[in-house]
């Protein structure tokens, strides 16, 4: 049990950001990791030129890193946005334009998990209208994901850092997951359980794990306070990951923490090099 018993991947949108995007897979590989995940890297466009998609695929393939998670287009992230799919008008259109692009790219690199961030509440927009739009778009995304053998992830964020994001508890995200699965009949919508976000919301993490491990498709971690590497805060992350494993979760654990002032490569001292390569 413990950290060496997990399958870790590195989030290249928060770690190794001191490097250009196309150099990050090699940096993760040099640190001993064989799996990575990404937020949508092209924040300005849901439909980047094919040459840029091909270049990212080559950067992953050249060093043998497996992309295990990818966000759909989510607006300005990092930045003020927290997704596009529930935002009426142009942002919803951009999300829809991205669905096939993201799914096709995921298929091209063997990525089987696509994360659809819900989007912020918009001043002047009826929350019920936003939720109806979200369900429409999530159904489209779930079908596209299923078409390439992938799951669709729905993520809880935290209210202090994302005050306009409506899914700020585990039950809120689970409700959306259940609604999408009921609408599609596919069963491929899953919960993205982020222990940092849930802890920021003050949730009982052990209880969340017991209640929702079976509906969890991906896990992300950072310590709290500070969103740093394990051991920089107070969360019993090793114990919580053991609890997830005991509850039947056998998927990836994404390292989505800030390295602090040091280079990203120096932030993995909590994890033995022998435990970084995932089989």
């Amino acid at each position: 049990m413990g950290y060496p018993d997990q399958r870790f991947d590195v989030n290249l949108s928060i770690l190794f950001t001191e490097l250009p995007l196309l150099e990050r897979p090699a940096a993760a590989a040099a640190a001993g990791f064989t799996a990575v995940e990404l937020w949508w890297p092209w924040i300005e466009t849901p439909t980047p030129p094919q040459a840029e998609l091909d270049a990212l695929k080559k950067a992953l393939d050249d060093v043998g890193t497996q992309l295990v998670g990818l966000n759909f287009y989510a607006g300005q992230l990092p930045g003020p946005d927290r997704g596009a799919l529930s935002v009426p008008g142009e942002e919803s259109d951009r999300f829809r334009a991205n669905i096939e692009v993201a799914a096709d790219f995921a298929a091209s690199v063997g990525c089987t998990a696509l994360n659809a961030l819900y989007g912020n509440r918009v001043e002047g927009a009826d929350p019920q209208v936003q939720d109806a739009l979200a369900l429409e778009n999530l159904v489209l995304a779930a079908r596209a994901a299923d078409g390439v053998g992938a799951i669709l992830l729905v993520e809880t964020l935290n209210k202090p850092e994302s005050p306009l994001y409506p899914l700020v508890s585990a039950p809120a995200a689970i409700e959306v997951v259940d609604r999408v699965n009921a609408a599609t009949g596919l069963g491929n919508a899953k919960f993205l359980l982020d222990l940092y976000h849930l802890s920021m919301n003050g949730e009982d993490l052990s209880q969340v794990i017991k209640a929702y491990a079976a509906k969890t498709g991906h896990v992300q971690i950072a310590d709290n306070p500070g969103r740093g590497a394990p051991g920089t805060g107070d969360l019993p992350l090793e114990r919580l990951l053991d609890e997830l494993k005991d509850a039947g979760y056998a998927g990836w654990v994404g390292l989505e923490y800030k390295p602090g002032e040091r280079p990203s490569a120096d932030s993995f001292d909590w994890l033995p090099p022998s435990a970084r390569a995932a089989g």
Side-chain angles (χ1 to χ4, degrees):
M1 302 298 277
Y3 289 138
D5 203 31
Q6 307 293 333
R7 288 198 303 161
F8 290 106
D9 72 87
V10 178
N11 188 308
L12 297 182
S13 297
I14 194 168
L15 286 156
F16 295 110
T17 57
E18 62 269 29
L19 299 172
L21 174 65
L22 297 182
E23 294 178 20
R24 295 177 203 169
F33 293 94
T34 54
V36 297
E37 62 182 67
L38 278 166
W39 303 342
W40 184 248
W42 298 276
I43 62 173
E44 301 297 338
T45 177
T47 54
Q50 186 61 45
E52 294 187 23
L53 293 159
D54 292 343
L56 178 55
K57 180 183 187 307
K58 184 176 188 301
L60 292 163
D61 290 347
D62 282 352
V63 294
T65 47
Q66 176 64 46
L67 187 69
V68 299
L70 175 68
N71 282 18
F72 286 105
Y73 170 79
Q76 298 291 311
L77 181 76
D81 298 333
R82 297 292 185 273
L85 62 91
S86 69
V87 180
E90 185 180 336
E91 280 299 88
S92 169
D93 292 344
R94 286 159 75 88
F95 177 82
R96 290 191 186 194
N98 174 246
I99 290 174
E100 294 300 333
V101 177
D104 287 349
F105 181 75
S108 78
V109 294
C111 175
T112 56
L114 288 158
N115 183 25
L117 282 171
Y118 200 83
N120 287 330
R121 291 300 191 210
V122 178
E123 190 176 350
D126 183 336
Q128 289 184 311
V129 171
Q130 282 197 258
D131 290 340
L133 177 63
L135 182 58
E136 277 180 43
N137 283 335
L138 286 166
V139 164
L140 292 173
R143 288 178 178 149
D146 183 68
V148 297
I151 59 172
L152 174 77
L153 297 169
V154 178
E155 183 175 7
T156 290
L157 300 183
N158 75 77
K159 196 169 182 64
E161 293 174 327
S162 303
L164 299 177
Y165 191 81
L167 307 184
V168 288
S169 73
I174 291 291
E175 185 181 333
V176 172
V177 165
D178 289 346
R179 212 178 291 147
V180 174
N181 285 332
T184 65
L186 296 170
N188 72 325
K190 302 282 186 180
F191 179 40
L192 197 167
L193 192 159
D194 185 309
L195 288 167
Y196 168 75
H197 287 310
L198 295 172
S199 71
M200 284 285 287
N201 290 327
E203 294 189 64
D204 182 330
L205 300 179
S206 294
Q207 189 54 46
V208 168
I209 288 167
K210 278 182 195 161
Y212 303 126
K215 293 185 177 184
T216 296
H218 191 65
V219 171
Q220 291 173 333
I221 63 168
D223 216 330
N224 189 21
R227 200 174 183 173
T232 59
D234 303 326
L235 288 184
L237 289 168
E238 199 160 13
R239 174 174 64 77
L240 292 166
L241 292 177
D242 283 345
E243 289 176 13
L244 267 160
K245 207 165 192 67
D246 290 344
Y249 180 74
W252 294 98
V253 177
L255 305 180
E256 198 185 49
Y257 62 75
K258 298 176 181 177
E261 297 302 315
R262 54 190 170 167
S264 296
D266 295 340
S267 73
F268 303 112
D269 48 3
W270 58 276
L271 183 64
S274 59
R276 297 177 190 177

